[in-house]
């Protein structure tokens, strides 16, 4: 209860605090190139204008005329993820790349005053420096009456204002031969630098009528340098900026230092207005030009009075803003205090209500618990009764299963022996021997499964006995591991057996047959789920446990697919399978666990999904007296059949022959693949895949004419594989026949919903398979008149994917008809397919190769032009993409039965 009240108080307090905090809607970063009075005026205007918009936060950083500093400032704003960036570039070439980076990352960029060498920005706000330069040039012409010598002091080299003002000036003055620009020096926008450059000029040339500096500071620096030489009365000084204030441009005109200056507006308020239009998705001008005007002695005093008045009004606005902020703070504090009082009253009321409710709830819960107790007792009795019934039913099922398994052994034995006798017959053909080997192998697999069921039943009835004998476990493991070497080579798996201490004595009393079955079962699972180029490591070692006694530890580790947490808890449960797509009876690991526990040992498993599985077996190392020599063990099936079951014979991949139809067989059972391949290899080129994922890759690589696919497979089942085949552009036209051991209509419906063209149930008749396959492929030969009767396509039962493919291919040919260099590789690249994939798909859909279709399209277009235009045969030849008239004439005659000349004569 206390925790609940405390949590409520904290939540309400947090809500109040969030209500009183100022919400920031937009963060605007400003990167200024310089730190001077003109920039200060602009910054003040930006900050003041931002006050008129709710929730706008402005941060200004100044580079102080340093490109590296400004690049770092802009990167800082990018990392901070500001909503909008305002940049006044120091030098255009240096700053352009980092501004483009911000623009590419989706940050709106407003460039002010100076431009960059790119159009990768959102908007520009500033005066037209070229026009200012022209206005200055016109003023010089008027002031000097068309004759005189001018010295120009430019801004920082590389900045766009300096370049544009210079160009505007020179474009005006070059029209007047009486005006000569004696020199143009770089003042870097600084008064001190301009004074130094002026000193250098006076050493070689003092005959100057007018000095034009691209800002007022440099003009003042030039004036001070001239005054030291006592030449200030002999020349005029003109600047740009016209800033108000003490010792700035306007005052220097009044004092007689400058002859004139031109207003270069800062426009900070306009910058913020454009920025807010961008952020709030309102229409805005991409280039906003600020106006300028001449300031000389005739209007300087009036302008100073106006700017003083504006400065006074700005100060009043700032004071009013501070007062408003103070009032808002007081209001927020008072509001918060009021809410706090209300919350305390509500909490007291809620506490009282909770106490009353808790009292009544306690009484009601006591009564409910009494009723639940009675129900639980009744349910317990019912569960005990159901458990007994379930146990009896399970026992009856297992007895029936065991009896049926016993009945299986007799007919299987009667099948196995005749098959072995037939295999010894030397008159059999290789095909007959191959079929008999498949029968022989699978009979032994069935016998092994039956024996596993009988052994497990004996274990459950406590009738499974151990026949212990002293055995060197290390020697036996080496012998058993040898059976898996061939399989490891075929699957390209690195298989090693490691013994941690070769000098240790591994002589111990175990049931050799049962230990062999445990070892083979663990290795069989490892090889089954380890992909090619994986690793399987078997480690044998000894250890001493706390309860006493020495143990042999056997560890089988693989780098396979691994087991998820939800399945690993049940991995040793009887008849448990991870999913229906993994083959097996679900009894092997349960039986292995039973054998290990019979030896007094322990088996554990550790697995990481996607990385591999580790099985650990600990067996006590005890020794018994050797049994008598006449001890006879129960006959058993050799464990070599386990290895044979796992071996997927690697067949050399056969490259599809363009003259033979290609069939892809997808099945996780190698024997089924071999059997189906033996039925098809005389008439077709056959390629194979062991699961759906591998089959999908081979289908996209080779584009076969038909696919035979099993339904239940590991990695990717047949239904998912069929669905992907029918949605991929390269394979959507291929007919798919599904094989299944399940005859339920529900699974057939799922298969047809996934796009399957046919269905055959296992076991199948070989003749039925061949006839179904032939009919399936014959029914999919269509679209032979690809460029003839275009209604043919709409009448055929073609998928939407293939219709779209055909339409795109036709349009692509028509668009590139005049390109004589058009190739299958070009067409495939534009269609998103390789040359082989395009060839096989077009061939399957139209019975024509891509080159033949291109040639037919060109010939039909040429025939249309011959019939409807007055163009010559040569003109038509090159227009439809043929390289020479003679070759065009040859192809035309082969296709239409007459030459173009004969056609023109017949047309008259």
């Amino acid at each position: 209860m206390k925790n609940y009240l405390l949590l409520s108080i904290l939540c309400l307090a947090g809500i109040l605090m969030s209500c009183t905090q100022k919400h920031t809607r937009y963060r605007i970063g400003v990167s200024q190139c310089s730190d001077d009075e003109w920039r200060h005026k602009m910054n003040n205007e930006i900050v003041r204008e931002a006050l008129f918009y709710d929730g706008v936060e402005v941060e200004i950083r100044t580079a102080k005329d340093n490109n590296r500093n400004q690049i770092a400032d802009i990167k800082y704003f990018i990392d901070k993820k500001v909503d909008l960036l305002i940049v006044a570039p120091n030098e255009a070439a240096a700053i352009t790349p980092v501004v483009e980076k911000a623009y590419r990352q989706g940050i709106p960029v407003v460039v002010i005053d100076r431009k960059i060498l790119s159009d990768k920005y959102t908007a520009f706000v500033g005066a037209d420096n070229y026009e200012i330069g022209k206005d200055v040039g016109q003023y010089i012409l008027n002031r000097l009456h068309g004759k005189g010598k001018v010295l120009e002091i430019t801004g920082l080299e590389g900045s766009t204002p300096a370049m544009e003002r210079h160009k505007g000036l020179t474009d005006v003055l070059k029209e007047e031969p009486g005006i000569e620009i004696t020199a143009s020096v770089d003042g870097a926008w600084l008064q001190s630098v301009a004074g130094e450059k002026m000193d250098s000029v006076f050493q070689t040339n003092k005959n100057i009528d007018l000095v034009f500096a691209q800002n007022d500071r440099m003009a003042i620096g030039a004036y001070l340098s001239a005054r030291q030489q006592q030449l200030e009365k002999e020349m005029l000084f003109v600047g740009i900026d016209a800033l108000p204030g003490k010792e700035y441009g306007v005052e220097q005109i009044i004092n007689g230092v400058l002859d004139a200056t031109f207003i270069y507006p800062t426009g900070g308020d306009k910058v913020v207005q454009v920025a807010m239009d961008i952020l709030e998705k309102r229409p805005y001008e991409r280039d906003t030009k600020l106006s300028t005007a001449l300031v000389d002695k005739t209007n300087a005093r009036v302008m100073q009075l106006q700017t003083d008045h504006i400065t006074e009004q700005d100060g009043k606005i700032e004071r009013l803003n501070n007062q408003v902020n103070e009032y808002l703070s007081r209001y927020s504090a008072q509001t918060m205090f009021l809410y706090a009082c209300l919350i305390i009253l509500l909490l007291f009321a809620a506490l009282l209500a909770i106490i009353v409710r808790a009292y009544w709830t306690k009484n009601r819960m006591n009564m409910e618990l009494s009723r639940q107790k009675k129900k639980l007792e009744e349910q317990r009795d019912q569960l005990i009764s159901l458990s007994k019934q379930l146990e009896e039913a399970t026992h009856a099922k297992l007895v029936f299963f065991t009896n049926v398994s016993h009945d299986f052994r007799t007919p299987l034995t009667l099948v196995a022996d005749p098959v072995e006798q037939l295999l010894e017959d030397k008159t059999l053909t290789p095909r007959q021997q191959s079929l008999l080997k498949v029968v022989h192998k699978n009979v032994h697999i069935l016998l092994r499964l039956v024996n596993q069921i009988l052994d497990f039943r004996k274990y459950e009835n406590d009738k499974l006995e151990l026949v212990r004998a002293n055995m060197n476990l290390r020697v036996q493991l080496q012998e058993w591991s040898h059976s898996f070497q061939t399989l490891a080579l075929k699957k390209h798996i690195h298989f090693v057996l490691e013994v941690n201490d070769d000098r240790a004595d591994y002589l111990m009393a175990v049931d050799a047959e049962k230990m062999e079955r445990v070892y083979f079962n663990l290795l069989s699972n490892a090889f089954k789920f380890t992909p090619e180029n994986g690793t399987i490591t078997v480690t044998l070692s000894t250890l001493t446990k706390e309860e006493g006694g020495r143990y042999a530890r056997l560890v089988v580790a693989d780098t396979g697919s691994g087991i998820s947490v939800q399945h690993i808890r049940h991995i040793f449960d009887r008849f448990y399978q991870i999913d229906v797509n993994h083959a097996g009876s679900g009894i092997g690991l349960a039986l292995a666990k039973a054998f290990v526990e019979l030896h007094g040992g322990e088996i554990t498993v550790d697995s990481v999904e996607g990385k591999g599985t580790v099985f650990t077996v600990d067996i006590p190392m005890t020794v018994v007296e050797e049994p008598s020599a006449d001890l006879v063990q129960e006959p058993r099936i050799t464990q070599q059949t386990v290895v044979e079951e796992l071996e997927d014979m690697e067949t050399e991949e056969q490259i599809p022959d363009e003259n033979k139809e290609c069939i892809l067989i997808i099945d996780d059972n190698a024997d089924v693949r071999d059997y189906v391949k033996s039925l098809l290899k005389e008439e077709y080129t056959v390629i194979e895949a062991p699961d759906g994922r591998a089959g999908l890759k081979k289908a996209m690589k080779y584009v076969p004419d038909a696919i035979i696919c099993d339904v239940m497979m590991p990695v990717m089942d047949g239904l998912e594989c069929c669905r992907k085949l029918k949605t991929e552009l390269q394979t959507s036209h291929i007919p798919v026949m599904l094989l299944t051991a399940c005859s339920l209509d529900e699974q057939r419906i799922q298969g047809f919903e996934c796009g399957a063209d046919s269905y055959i149930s296992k076991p199948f008749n070989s003749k039925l398979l061949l006839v179904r396959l032939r009919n399936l492929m014959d029914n999919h030969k269509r679209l032979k008149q690809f460029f003839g009767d275009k209604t043919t396509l709409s009448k055929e039962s073609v998928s939407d994917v293939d219709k779209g493919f055909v339409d795109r291919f036709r349009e692509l040919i028509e668009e590139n008809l005049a390109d004589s260099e058009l190739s299958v590789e070009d067409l495939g690249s534009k269609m998103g397919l390789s040359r082989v994939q395009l060839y096989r798909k077009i061939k399957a859909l139209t019975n024509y190769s891509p080159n033949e279709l291109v040639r037919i399209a060109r010939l039909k277009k040429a025939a249309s032009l011959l019939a409807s235009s007055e163009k010559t045969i040569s003109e038509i030849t090159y227009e439809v993409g043929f390289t020479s008239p003679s070759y065009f004439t040859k192809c035309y005659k082969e296709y239409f039965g007459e030459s173009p000349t004969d056609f023109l004569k017949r047309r008259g």
Side-chain angles (χ1 to χ4, degrees):
M1 186 66 68
K2 292 181 179 179
N3 292 335
Y4 175 77
L5 290 175
L6 179 60
L7 181 61
S8 300
I9 293 172
L10 291 175
C11 290
L12 291 171
I15 293 172
L16 289 177
M17 291 295 292
S18 64
C19 292
T20 58
Q21 289 177 352
K22 185 177 179 181
H23 175 64
T24 300
R25 291 191 305 147
Y26 302 115
R27 292 173 298 170
I28 298 177
V30 180
S31 173
Q32 285 286 11
C33 58
S34 303
D35 185 19
D36 54 50
E37 60 278 3
W38 192 88
R39 302 288 168 183
H40 291 167
K41 186 173 183 294
M42 176 187 283
N43 294 343
N44 292 336
E45 291 172 350
I46 290 174
V47 173
R48 185 170 58 252
E49 185 68 19
L51 294 175
F52 293 98
Y53 299 93
D54 182 42
V56 176
E57 177 186 327
V58 177
E59 181 179 356
I60 301 175
R61 297 174 73 92
T62 300
K64 297 184 178 179
D65 303 304
N66 187 292
N67 290 331
R68 291 185 178 180
N69 291 346
Q70 187 163 34
I71 292 171
D73 290 343
I74 296 174
K75 289 182 177 179
Y76 163 80
F77 287 128
I78 294 174
D79 295 339
K80 199 174 179 181
K81 293 182 173 57
V82 295
D83 298 293
L84 184 137
L85 181 63
I86 298 173
V87 179
N90 187 49
E91 291 187 28
I95 305 304
T96 295
V98 70
V99 173
E100 289 181 335
K101 177 182 178 182
Y103 184 79
R104 286 195 302 269
Q105 294 191 11
I107 300 175
V109 179
V110 178
V111 179
I112 59 175
D113 178 28
R114 307 175 182 182
K115 293 185 178 180
I116 60 173
L117 303 181
S118 169
D119 62 349
K120 297 295 188 298
Y121 59 85
T122 309
F124 171 78
V125 178
D128 190 331
N129 284 287
Y130 176 76
E131 290 298 326
I132 291 176
K134 290 178 65 176
D135 290 345
V136 172
Q138 193 62 47
Y139 176 79
I140 292 173
L141 288 176
N142 297 334
R143 191 73 173 84
L144 297 181
H145 305 292
K147 185 177 181 180
K149 295 184 177 181
V150 177
L151 170 65
E152 181 187 19
I153 304 178
T154 66
L156 183 65
E157 182 181 0
S159 63
T160 56
M163 294 185 287
E164 292 174 355
R165 291 175 185 179
H166 173 75
K167 189 174 187 309
L169 176 70
T170 55
D171 285 350
V172 172
L173 296 184
K174 69 182 179 181
E175 301 296 332
E176 186 63 41
I179 301 296
E180 176 188 358
I181 300 177
T182 59
S184 181
V185 296
D186 184 357
W189 304 112
L190 300 176
Q191 178 176 321
S192 58
V193 175
E196 294 173 0
K197 292 296 178 68
M198 195 70 179
D199 293 339
S200 300
V201 171
F202 283 149
Q203 292 178 4
T204 57
N205 186 6
K206 297 183 180 181
N207 188 16
I208 298 171
D209 297 306
L210 185 144
V211 177
F212 164 56
Q214 291 188 355
N215 69 4
D216 291 341
R217 284 185 297 165
M218 294 190 296
I220 294 170
Y223 174 83
L224 296 176
S225 175
R227 190 170 65 181
Q228 290 179 356
Q229 300 288 332
Q230 296 182 352
L231 298 173
E232 75 277 10
K233 302 296 184 181
E234 299 178 7
M235 58 188 72
L236 302 175
F237 296 88
V238 178
I240 294 177
D241 279 347
L243 285 178
K246 186 175 178 58
E247 296 183 357
Y248 293 158
V250 176
E251 185 179 275
Q252 296 295 356
I253 291 176
I254 296 172
N255 295 337
V257 174
L258 300 182
D259 183 67
T261 184
F262 286 78
I263 296 175
Y264 188 62
T266 50
D269 51 351
K270 188 62 179 178
V271 171
V272 175
Q273 292 169 14
V274 172
M276 294 308 299
D277 287 342
I278 294 171
L279 291 173
E280 296 182 347
K281 311 300 182 185
R282 293 193 296 266
Y284 64 92
E285 293 289 337
R286 191 169 189 267
D287 286 321
T288 301
K289 301 296 185 181
L290 302 178
S291 59
T292 183
L294 171 67
V295 179
D296 56 14
K297 291 182 180 181
T298 61
N299 60 358
R301 191 166 297 279
V302 174
M303 183 175 178
Q304 186 179 39
L305 292 174
Q306 290 178 341
T307 54
D308 289 344
H309 181 69
I310 292 172
T311 302
E312 182 181 353
Q313 294 300 320
D314 289 343
K316 290 181 179 180
I317 291 173
E318 188 172 354
R319 288 195 298 272
L320 287 173
N321 181 67
N322 293 334
Q323 290 179 357
V324 169
N325 289 336
E326 183 180 353
Y327 293 149
L328 288 175
S329 298
R330 290 180 184 177
Y331 173 77
S332 298
Q334 292 171 357
T335 303
M336 186 174 178
F337 178 73
L338 178 61
Y339 284 162
C341 293
L342 291 174
I343 289 171
I344 292 172
L345 291 175
L346 290 174
L347 289 176
F348 275 119
L351 180 61
L352 181 60
I354 290 171
I355 293 173
V356 174
R357 180 180 176 83
Y359 174 76
W360 291 107
T361 302
K362 179 181 179 183
N363 291 337
R364 188 173 66 254
M365 289 183 65
N366 287 336
M367 297 175 63
E368 184 68 24
L369 286 174
S370 298
R371 290 195 298 268
Q372 290 292 335
K373 182 178 180 182
K374 292 180 181 180
K375 288 183 179 180
L376 288 174
E377 290 175 352
E378 294 175 0
Q379 291 177 358
R380 181 196 61 190
D381 296 337
Q382 291 177 359
L383 287 174
I384 292 173
S385 175
L386 289 173
S387 178
K388 290 181 179 179
Q389 295 176 13
L390 182 61
E391 185 176 353
E392 293 173 358
T394 302
H395 178 73
K397 291 179 181 178
L398 286 175
V399 169
F400 172 76
F401 199 21
T402 305
N403 292 336
V404 172
S405 299
H406 274 289
D407 292 339
F408 280 157
R409 298 187 69 178
T410 300
L412 286 174
T413 303
L414 293 176
V415 172
D417 185 62
V419 169
E420 290 178 356
Q421 293 182 29
L422 287 172
L423 283 172
E424 296 175 358
D425 189 350
K426 304 299 183 181
T427 63
L428 295 176
T429 64
R431 173 172 171 75
Q432 291 172 334
Q433 284 188 340
S434 175
L435 294 174
L436 283 174
K437 286 180 180 179
V438 173
V439 175
H440 181 265
K441 174 180 174 181
N442 285 279
V443 166
H444 280 280
I445 292 172
L446 286 173
L447 281 172
R448 179 174 59 83
L449 293 174
V450 169
N451 286 339
Q452 282 187 349
I453 294 171
L454 294 176
D455 286 343
F456 192 77
R457 181 63 180 153
K458 289 179 182 178
Y459 172 75
E460 287 192 327
N461 293 332
D462 293 328
K463 293 181 179 180
L464 188 63
E465 298 179 354
L466 293 179
V467 182
R468 291 180 180 268
N470 293 333
M471 179 188 76
N472 191 316
L473 184 59
R474 178 180 61 191
V475 175
Q476 287 298 320
L477 288 180
Q478 292 171 344
E479 180 181 342
W480 295 336
S481 300
H482 183 72
S483 301
F484 286 88
Q485 292 298 333
T486 303
L487 177 60
L489 291 174
K490 290 175 181 176
K491 294 194 70 176
H492 304 100
I493 292 176
H494 183 57
F495 172 51
V496 293
L497 170 63
E498 298 177 351
V499 180
N500 286 351
D501 188 359
D502 290 337
R503 294 172 297 179
D505 183 10
Y506 286 95
L507 187 67
M508 51 195 297
V510 294
D511 187 323
E513 186 264 343
K514 292 180 175 56
M515 281 302 301
E516 181 184 11
R517 289 169 69 176
V518 170
Y519 185 60
F520 271 71
N521 192 289
L522 296 180
L523 273 187
S524 299
N525 280 289
F527 274 94
K528 186 184 298 183
F529 297 108
T530 301
E532 286 194 358
N533 301 315
T535 301
I536 299 176
T537 305
V538 178
T539 305
L540 179 63
S541 60
T542 60
L543 73 156
T544 303
K545 295 192 175 182
E546 295 180 358
E547 57 267 22
R550 294 178 66 240
Y551 283 75
R553 169 163 288 183
L554 176 66
V555 179
V556 179
D558 64 66
T559 58
S561 56
I563 307 170
S564 65
V565 176
Q566 63 179 5
H567 293 304
I568 201 169
R569 296 194 299 268
H570 308 286
I571 198 67
F572 294 114
D573 294 351
R574 60 187 180 184
F575 309 120
Y576 182 80
Q577 292 177 277
I578 293 177
D579 58 57
V580 297
N581 294 322
H582 287 82
S585 63
I587 201 173
L589 287 175
L591 193 61
K593 184 174 186 290
F595 288 164
V596 171
E597 290 177 348
L598 277 176
H599 284 83
E602 180 184 11
I603 182 171
T604 58
V605 61
D606 184 23
S607 183
V608 177
E609 193 170 6
K611 293 187 177 180
T613 305
V614 178
F615 284 93
T616 303
V617 178
D618 292 341
I619 301 292
M621 299 183 67
T622 58
V623 180
V624 298
E625 295 183 1
E626 289 292 342
S628 58
D630 58 350
L631 180 64
V632 180
Q633 294 186 1
E634 180 183 356
R636 61 186 175 87
I637 296 176
T638 172
Q639 293 295 340
Q640 183 62 26
T641 58
V642 179
V643 180
E644 291 175 355
E645 179 188 358
L646 285 170
E647 290 182 353
D648 290 333
M649 298 299 293
E650 296 293 330
T651 58
E652 182 179 355
E653 192 68 73
Q654 188 173 1
I655 299 175
D657 185 355
E658 293 184 359
N659 298 319
K660 293 178 68 176
E661 293 170 311
C662 177
I663 309 296
L664 170 62
I665 304 172
I666 308 174
D667 200 302
D668 60 325
N669 190 302
D671 292 332
V672 174
R673 296 200 307 271
D674 291 340
Y675 178 64
V676 176
K677 182 177 181 180
S678 69
L679 298 174
L680 303 176
K681 65 182 181 181
E682 296 297 330
E683 186 177 355
Y684 307 100
T685 299
V686 181
I687 54 179
E688 305 175 42
D691 57 68
R693 183 182 297 169
L696 183 62
K697 291 181 179 178
K698 289 192 176 182
M700 296 180 70
K701 178 179 180 181
Y702 296 113
V703 193
D705 296 287
I707 297 173
I708 301 174
C709 181
D710 189 19
V711 172
M712 290 193 293
M713 295 182 293
V715 184
M716 179 190 291
D717 62 32
L719 298 178
E720 180 66 19
C721 180
C722 182
R723 183 182 297 108
K724 290 184 178 294
L725 286 168
K726 291 300 183 180
T727 55
E728 289 291 339
L729 177 63
Q730 299 96 316
T731 58
S732 58
H733 67 284
I734 303 174
V736 179
M737 178 188 294
L738 291 180
L739 298 180
T740 178
C742 180
S743 59
L744 296 177
D745 290 340
E746 289 82 357
Q747 192 183 70
R748 290 176 178 269
I749 292 172
Q750 288 181 343
F752 287 123
E753 286 177 345
C754 293
D757 298 272
S758 183
Y759 230 112
I760 289 187
S761 299
K762 296 180 181 178
F764 54 82
N765 182 281
S766 59
K767 293 183 178 179
L768 176 62
L769 175 69
L770 293 172
V771 172
R772 282 269 187 94
L773 181 63
R774 186 71 265 164
N775 289 340
L776 191 63
M777 295 174 65
D778 289 342
N779 290 335
H780 279 73
K781 289 182 177 179
R782 56 173 64 91
L783 303 178
K784 295 181 180 179
Q785 298 181 9
F786 180 77
F787 284 99
D789 183 10
K790 294 187 178 180
T791 62
T792 302
L793 182 60
S794 61
K795 296 176 182 176
E796 297 286 352
S797 57
V798 184
S799 68
D800 292 338
V801 175
D802 288 338
K803 286 182 180 179
F805 174 83
V806 169
D807 291 339
R808 290 202 310 275
F809 187 72
R810 181 188 293 116
E811 292 172 0
L812 186 61
I813 291 178
E814 291 175 354
E815 291 172 359
N816 296 275
L817 206 60
D819 184 6
S820 61
E821 301 295 328
L822 184 65
S823 65
V824 179
E825 286 79 3
D826 296 334
L827 292 170
S829 176
K830 294 177 181 179
M831 294 292 293
L833 301 174
S834 68
R835 178 186 178 279
V836 175
Q837 290 171 336
L838 180 66
Y839 176 86
R840 294 192 65 82
K841 187 168 183 72
I842 291 296
K843 190 74 173 177
L845 289 173
T846 67
N847 280 343
Y848 290 104
S849 69
N851 283 328
E852 289 174 330
L853 292 178
V854 173
R855 185 167 62 252
I856 291 172
R858 286 172 171 164
L859 290 172
K860 290 193 173 186
K861 179 66 174 179
S864 174
L865 293 174
L866 285 170
S868 61
S869 70
E870 299 299 326
K871 296 181 179 180
T872 65
I873 295 176
S874 295
E875 290 174 337
I876 294 174
T877 296
Y878 297 113
E879 183 173 342
V880 297
F882 281 94
T883 55
S884 68
S886 59
Y887 179 64
F888 165 68
T889 301
K890 176 178 176 295
C891 295
Y892 190 94
K893 187 172 183 179
E894 288 177 355
Y895 189 77
F896 291 105
E898 63 177 347
S899 67
T901 305
D902 294 338
F903 174 80
L904 292 176
K905 289 178 180 178
R906 183 166 52 83
R907 192 187 69 172

